[in-house]
Amino acid sequence: MPVLVVTAVPAERDAVAVACAPAGIDVLAVGAGPAAAAARTAVALERRSAGGRPYGLVVSAGIGGGFAPLAPVGSVAVASEIVAADLGAETPAGPEPFASVSELGFGTTVHLPPEGLSRAVAEAAGAALGPVLTVSTATGTAERAALLAHRHPGALAEAMEGFGVAEAAEACGGVPVLEVRAVSNAVGPRDRAAWRFAEALDALTAAFGRIVPVLDGWRDLDRRQD
C-alpha cells in the first residue's frame, strides 16, 4: 500500500524524508494553506490512481503552533480529529459569534483519521493525541487563542494544511488520512523570537523515525488483506 506524506514547505519535506525515503514512502511539499494543500494533494492522488497503484494512506505533516499546556514547544501532536476551525460565518445571533460550515448545513468541518492507526502512531512517536485545527490565518493574539481553545476543547495544535489534505483524500475515493505536527511555537501572541523552527523540524524527523515502522505495519496488513 503506497503512502504519501504531504508537507507545506520544502524544509518540512526534507525533515520527514530522512525517515520516509529509505522506506519507500513518498513525500511531497504542496504549499501553504488549505487550498494549495487540497488542490495539489488531489492531483498527486489522482495521478497515482491513474497509474494503477493508488495511495492507500495520506499523512499531512509539518510544524505548527501548540496550545499550552497540552502541546508545548518541541512536542509532537497526532490528530484524533482534523478540524477546519475558521471555515464558516460570523453571526451576531446566539452565544457564539461564529457558525461553522457544518452548523450552517453546507458541509463538514471535521475529518476523522483511522482511530487505531492514529493511536498507534501517537504511541510510537511519544506524541499527544487530540484535535488538530486547520486555520487560514495563523493565530496572533491571546484572545484568538482562547477563543479557539474554547470552541475546540482539547485542541492540541493549529496548522494550515491538514483539513485541505483530508478534503482531497475524501474526494479521491476516501483515502485514509493522518495528521502529525511538531510544535514550533505557542498558539497566541505573535513572537517570532520565541519560535523554535529548528527544534521542531528535529522533533519531526525523530517522530517519523518512530512512525515509519507503524506505517510499514499498516502496509503489511493491507497486503495480507489483499
Side-chain angles (χ1 to χ4, degrees), residues 112-213:
L112 300 177
E115 182 177 358
L117 180 59
S118 57
R119 188 171 300 280
V121 164
E123 290 176 355
L129 179 66
V132 173
L133 310 184
T134 299
V135 295
S136 295
T137 302
T139 298
T141 67
E143 293 76 15
R144 173 69 173 170
L147 183 61
L148 288 174
H150 171 72
R151 286 181 186 161
H152 306 283
L156 297 177
E158 71 166 26
M160 301 179 73
E161 293 78 36
F163 188 79
V165 173
E167 283 283 281
E170 179 64 26
C172 295
V175 180
V177 63
L178 298 176
E179 184 169 8
V180 180
R181 294 285 165 182
V183 176
S184 59
N185 58 279
V187 176
R190 189 174 175 83
D191 179 9
R192 288 186 64 89
W195 294 354
R196 298 291 180 263
F197 289 132
E199 292 90 334
L201 291 171
D202 287 344
L204 193 64
T205 297
F208 267 85
R210 297 187 289 269
I211 288 169
V212 164

Side-chain angles (χ1 to χ4, degrees), residues 4-215:
L4 174 64
V5 178
V6 175
T7 72
V9 299
E12 295 167 320
R13 177 199 61 204
D14 294 346
V16 170
V18 171
C20 289
I25 294 174
D26 293 339
V27 185
L28 178 67
V30 295
R40 291 170 183 154
T41 300
V43 169
L45 292 173
E46 287 298 300
R47 283 178 175 169
R48 186 67 182 237
S49 183
R53 193 163 179 255
Y55 287 112
L57 178 69
V58 185
V59 185
S60 177
I63 62 177
F67 287 92
L70 299 178
V73 172
S75 68
V76 176
V78 174
S80 61
E81 302 176 4
I82 301 172
V83 183
D86 56 6
L87 183 60
E90 291 185 339
T91 172
E96 287 283 348
F98 174 82
S100 70
V101 161
S102 59
E103 292 168 333
L104 294 168
F106 297 150
T108 185
T109 53
V110 178
H111 287 283
L112 300 177
E115 182 177 358
L117 180 59
S118 57
R119 188 171 300 280
V121 164
E123 290 176 355
L129 179 66
V132 173
L133 310 184
T134 299
V135 295
S136 295
T137 302
T139 298
T141 67
E143 293 76 15
R144 173 69 173 170
L147 183 61
L148 288 174
H150 171 72
R151 286 181 186 161
H152 306 283
L156 297 177
E158 71 166 26
M160 301 179 73
E161 293 78 36
F163 188 79
V165 173
E167 283 283 281
E170 179 64 26
C172 295
V175 180
V177 63
L178 298 176
E179 184 169 8
V180 180
R181 294 285 165 182
V183 176
S184 59
N185 58 279
V187 176
R190 189 174 175 83
D191 179 9
R192 288 186 64 89
W195 294 354
R196 298 291 180 263
F197 289 132
E199 292 90 334
L201 291 171
D202 287 344
L204 193 64
T205 297
F208 267 85
R210 297 187 289 269
I211 288 169
V212 164
V214 178
L215 301 183

